Amino acid sequence: MSRMPRWSWAGSIAGLLCLVGGPAHADSVTARYKIAATLSHTSPQLRGTVETTVSNPTAQPLREIIVLLFPNRFAVADEGINDANRPFVYPREDFDPGWMTVGDVRVDGQGVVSKRTTTPGIPDGCVLALELPAPIPPGATRTIHMQFTTTVPNRFGAFGEFQEMLTAVGGWYPYVAALRADGEWATDALPPLSDFEVQLAVDPDWEVLLSGQHFPRSSSPITATVRGVHYLTLIAAPTLLRDTIDADGMRIVFFHQPLVRYDRRAPGPSQLEITRAALRTLIDERPAGVPARDELVIVEAPLRLNLTAPGEGMVVISDRTLKVLWLLRPFHEAQLAQAVYAELLRPQLARRESTRDY
């Protein structure tokens, strides 16, 4: 295998490294969520409850709370989908919607009115405003409780279901938007860093990865604690094969489905061997300043148009990342390297940048 083309990713990584030594940002304050849900094969694939607290650290009273419903981004067809890229988005080339519903919204145990609202630059239906009976004064805290259902569309990408594999990156539950220092809601930014307590009842024929934590098939509910992430990443599949790669004192745990593309049907290394070699090389040759960790989790998913997705706790890569003509492989290896290094740097960078800048 050829060596990584350092010229193509060194600049991006150097920029990330410059941020590591910067001062911590106010957005590093951690929110807390409690999620109790079920995961099934039939839609809505996810249903449950979310409980979280909202604090007002600003000097202004908060008259409403803004909640984001990310799956509604997929409720209507994307205007950017055309005849050229449609086969890489929809397996059957027909639009398949995804969405989220929210009900029984309570603030400090009291039912409140919620209404959809429009925000420039945000798809319709993704922003929910909770009308508070009384403003939240500066320094005060309120507890929100919501019921939700999430329908995951049949599509490729970071939020979709394909061939019994469910990938949910970006918010499969309702979450509170980031709050700016001036009291305005940052609907165009990532949610604030949060700690999650999760109980997830799963169909017993599914394995689950939850922000890097692996749960084999079980008839019992999954109980997990995930700390310091912007959102939870959920991946589920009937079978996830596990390969372990040792590189420079780090253990890489690589999860993938048992698909025939790894079978030996032609001379030369298999796709699995190519991927293993690429991961080992990018760790062995990582730039100075990119830290190691005891274990790094990487999982393949049917992303198609995108080669990687930030799993926050794991790196999500396309099952086609290195299944490409050898001439293009260095460019794909570079994107793989950037995603891996970003995850290794994430614990330092996430708490030093605002949600918008991060």
Side-chain angles (χ1 to χ4, degrees):
M1 194 197 88
S2 61
R3 288 182 177 270
M4 293 288 173
R6 291 183 176 177
W7 52 267
S8 62
W9 48 257
S12 297
I13 300 303
L16 289 173
L17 291 172
C18 288
L19 299 175
V20 174
H25 193 277
D27 283 358
S28 63
V29 175
T30 303
R32 289 175 174 80
Y33 282 81
K34 290 183 179 180
I35 299 177
T38 59
L39 172 64
S40 66
H41 290 281
T42 58
S43 62
Q45 291 94 334
L46 290 147
R47 61 172 69 238
T49 62
V50 170
E51 183 176 290
T52 186
T53 56
V54 175
S55 300
N56 182 8
T58 74
Q60 307 295 328
L62 299 179
R63 304 185 185 281
E64 64 179 7
I65 297 172
I66 296 298
V67 174
L68 297 180
L69 314 180
F70 175 73
N72 287 341
R73 153 74 177 81
F74 306 98
V76 298
D78 192 329
E79 294 180 357
I81 305 302
N82 52 45
D83 290 344
N85 58 26
R86 187 174 292 107
F88 303 100
V89 179
Y90 298 111
R92 300 182 181 89
E93 299 195 36
D94 293 325
F95 169 70
D96 189 67
W99 67 89
M100 173 182 285
T101 63
V102 173
D104 192 25
V105 182
R106 297 181 178 274
V107 176
D108 282 353
Q110 181 178 355
V112 299
V113 175
S114 60
K115 63 178 182 180
R116 302 288 178 88
T117 184
T118 58
T119 301
I122 305 298
D124 290 344
C126 290
V127 181
L128 189 70
L130 309 185
E131 298 181 352
L132 299 174
I136 304 176
T141 299
R142 297 289 183 268
T143 299
I144 304 173
H145 187 275
M146 296 174 280
Q147 294 181 349
F148 73 94
T149 66
T150 299
T151 297
V152 180
N154 179 238
R155 76 192 307 272
F156 299 121
F159 197 90
E161 179 272 333
F162 174 67
Q163 291 184 343
E164 296 189 283
M165 187 172 195
L166 184 144
T167 307
V169 181
W172 45 270
Y173 50 88
Y175 58 83
V176 177
L179 185 63
R180 299 194 186 102
D182 61 2
E184 295 296 321
W185 294 96
T187 56
D188 58 345
L190 291 174
L193 288 174
S194 303
D195 291 341
F196 292 85
E197 299 291 338
V198 184
Q199 186 176 70
L200 189 64
V202 183
D203 279 354
D205 58 344
W206 254 353
E207 294 187 52
V208 169
L209 280 164
L210 189 64
S211 292
Q213 299 183 35
H214 176 239
F215 299 90
R217 297 178 184 180
S218 173
S219 58
S220 301
I222 291 170
T223 301
T225 299
V226 179
R227 300 190 185 280
V229 298
H230 293 96
Y231 49 78
L232 284 174
T233 295
L234 173 65
I235 291 180
T239 303
L240 290 169
L241 299 182
R242 173 181 176 137
D243 282 277
T244 302
I245 306 157
D246 294 319
D248 196 24
M250 189 187 312
R251 182 174 62 254
I252 303 172
V253 181
F254 177 48
F255 290 96
H256 58 87
Q257 286 190 290
L259 301 183
V260 294
R261 65 177 180 276
Y262 288 139
D263 292 344
R264 288 185 175 274
R265 297 189 176 184
S270 68
Q271 288 297 315
L272 176 58
E273 290 169 334
I274 291 172
T275 301
R276 288 172 59 93
L279 293 173
R280 184 180 293 108
T281 300
L282 66 87
I283 293 299
D284 288 340
E285 300 185 4
R286 70 186 187 278
V290 175
R293 65 173 65 167
D294 291 338
E295 182 175 284
L296 175 67
V297 176
I298 299 177
V299 57
E300 277 192 340
L303 302 185
R304 296 299 188 270
L305 283 181
N306 297 316
L307 292 182
T308 64
E312 290 199 292
M314 61 187 178
V315 182
V316 184
I317 67 173
S318 173
D319 55 7
R320 302 297 178 91
T321 297
L322 297 180
K323 190 178 182 181
V324 66
L325 182 68
W326 67 268
L327 189 63
L328 299 176
R329 192 176 297 156
F331 299 97
H332 287 222
E333 289 172 342
Q335 292 192 47
L336 177 61
Q338 289 175 349
V340 169
Y341 299 156
E343 171 58 26
L344 292 175
L345 288 164
R346 177 185 58 83
Q348 297 161 275
L349 295 182
R351 293 187 178 276
R352 298 183 181 277
E353 289 296 299
S354 69
T355 54
R356 179 193 297 271
D357 291 341
Y358 183 83

